[in-house]
Amino acid sequence: MTIPQLNAERPLTDEAVIRVTGIQHSYHTARGPVPALENVDVSAGPKRFVSIVGPSGCGKSTLLMILAGLITPTAGDRYVAGAKVTGPQPDKVAVAFQDACLLPWRSALDNVAFPLELRKDPRAEREARGRELLEKVGLAGYADRYPRELSGGMRQRVAVARALIQRPAVLLMDEPFGALDEQTRMDMGEELLRLWDEIHNTVIFVTHNLAEAVYLSDEVIVMAARPGRVVERVLIDLPRPRPVEITETEKFLHLRNRLWRLIRSQE
Amino acid sequence: MTRLLHSTRDAQLAVGLLVVLLATWELLARLGVLTPETAPAPSVIASAGSDLVAGGLFFDVRITLTYVLVAFVLALVLGVGLGLLLSSWPLVAQVSVGFLTFLLSVPKSLFLPLFILVIGIGGDQKIAFGAFSSFAVIVMATMVGIASVDPNLVAMARSQGARRREVFSKIYLRSMMPTLLEAARIAMILNITGVLIAEMYVSRQGLGYLVNLYGQTFQVAPLLAVIAVITVIGIALNELLRWCERRQDRWREGT
Ligand SMILES: Nc1ncnc2c1ncn2[C@@H]1O[C@H](COP(=O)(O)OP(=O)(O)O)[C@@H](O)[C@H]1O
Ligand SMILES: [Mg+2]
């Protein structure tokens, strides 16, 4: 496949909202360079929900940080949300990190409104939108609570609300529900789909839970480690909306098993 | 709520204990158990104190307090500044932590003659020595504080559009605040000690000078009165900084 020539000013002419090609990345450490990604190509169209799965250490987080503009790759081209990435793009790209990453000295509301504060929006507007988003994630009564007063699931909801307040065209999520118990994880997944139905942006969702990946996604990218690379791209052609019962269907299990075999075969 | 009750009850207990102690002391002095030359009664100390106030004690209080506060601000600004600078290079940070540990453990008063040789015996020398006494503590606390900032919070803020200055003020400084305020409290005590020692060593004014003067002329009552004033100032400054700590620490408490 050939990739059209693009420049920083011109938006993407084709369908892709995300296109990274030939991504190579090594971390520089005291003990020399640590290779993390080797020749990775990833693309995602508008309003697509794409998951990335793979063993730990295969470079999923690194890839996400590269998409977010937080890490500059050693080599490769990045186009995200219509522009060549040179740094963070807070008005287009939002990130939800693994362990919620809330500021412990701020209330839930002030955490959610933090991106608007950085944008210097007026206080009244920040608070109104913050409350609106807290309500959206089911935390209407918790605006004044500090993170330590919230459960793990609630903290993660705050983090999701904070990402959504940026109205991102691209939402990057790094194992957002990884630290939650199985039941809460399922609930959160269901709720994320409900929210996504409204917003309908492009989501890149890193997880190591294969059932979660199948349940949420339009496609799943399978990565392998040493070196970190993409091995396969699996289309998830399950109908939407997806009730939780879909996880018991034959097709669902078939897709899940296929991912499992793909990952197993790389070890 | 229970915390608050606890602290007021503690305060009441402390005041009660002090009253009992002073009353016992007064009684023993009046009964002639204590020698008036070395342990004058609290009432005698109090009247010596009021004589001192009439004789212009507040002039000396103002001088010493000014030196202490200027030294504090100086040590804080320079200490945090240097701490930030040293932390920018991992190798430099590693080497300087060793050096700072040495500076923390060596008695500062050894350097007093050097300060007099270099700066002289004026107010600037008192300030410089006061600041020097707490400088290492603040540099060290800054470096420890920086090392403890969660890099994920920094990445999060950057992804949301925080510029360098905002990352510094809203993430770094805020994360470091508990460590810095605690260091500031210790620094204040060291500043007071430093200024007083410098005043006791060579000077014609200030509370340290008065301590030295009454000590050398065997005037125990005014000596103890001055010490009482210094103690009150020390406690007041300490409580002020503790109040700041509690204020910014409110998110830790909660339900
Ligand atoms: N800051 C870093 N410094 C050095 N090596 C790193 C750093 N972050 C990640 N790595 C290494 O890069 C590789 C990929 O890590 P990561 O992207 O975190 O993988 P994953 O998220 O899939 O578990 C791993 O070998 C990891 O040890
Ligand atoms: Mg990871």
Side-chain angles (χ1 to χ4, degrees), chain A residues 194-207:
Chain A
R194 185 177 57 72
L195 285 169
W196 182 65
D197 226 30
E198 258 177 67
I199 304 148
H200 229 59
N201 54 6
T202 302
V203 179
I204 306 286
F205 188 96
V206 170
T207 177

Side-chain angles (χ1 to χ4, degrees), chain B residues 166-177:
Chain B
E166 287 160 331
V167 168
F168 177 69
S169 64
K170 289 176 197 274
I171 308 294
Y172 272 92
L173 219 49
R174 196 62 187 72
S175 299
M176 291 161 64
M177 205 47 95

Side-chain angles (χ1 to χ4, degrees), chain B residues 66-79:
Chain B
T66 309
Y67 290 166
V68 167
L69 293 179
V70 174
F72 177 72
V73 172
L74 207 64
L76 208 59
V77 170
L78 294 179

Side-chain angles (χ1 to χ4, degrees), chain A residues 120-185:
Chain A
K120 310 231 158 34
D121 283 5
R123 172 173 283 277
E125 193 175 317
R126 292 192 320 242
E127 293 209 348
R129 291 224 36 230
R131 283 184 198 283
E132 185 188 316
L133 271 142
L134 277 176
E135 195 178 310
K136 234 190 213 3
V137 298
L139 291 178
Y142 295 85
D144 297 328
R145 298 289 186 93
Y146 287 106
R148 63 173 292 277
E149 302 171 299
L150 301 172
S151 70
M154 286 169 161
R155 279 203 284 272
Q156 210 46 256
R157 279 163 206 262
V158 174
V160 170
R162 180 179 58 187
L164 294 182
I165 208 168
Q166 291 173 249
R167 297 192 209 274
V170 174
L171 175 57
L172 306 171
M173 306 182 91
D174 191 357
E175 305 200 30
F177 312 141
L180 306 179
D181 60 88
E182 200 53 37
Q183 181 58 43
T184 316
R185 173 197 283 268

Side-chain angles (χ1 to χ4, degrees), chain B residues 151-163:
Chain B
N152 287 325
L153 294 186
V154 176
M156 181 275 300
R158 288 218 304 127
S159 80
Q160 290 163 347
R163 282 159 293 246

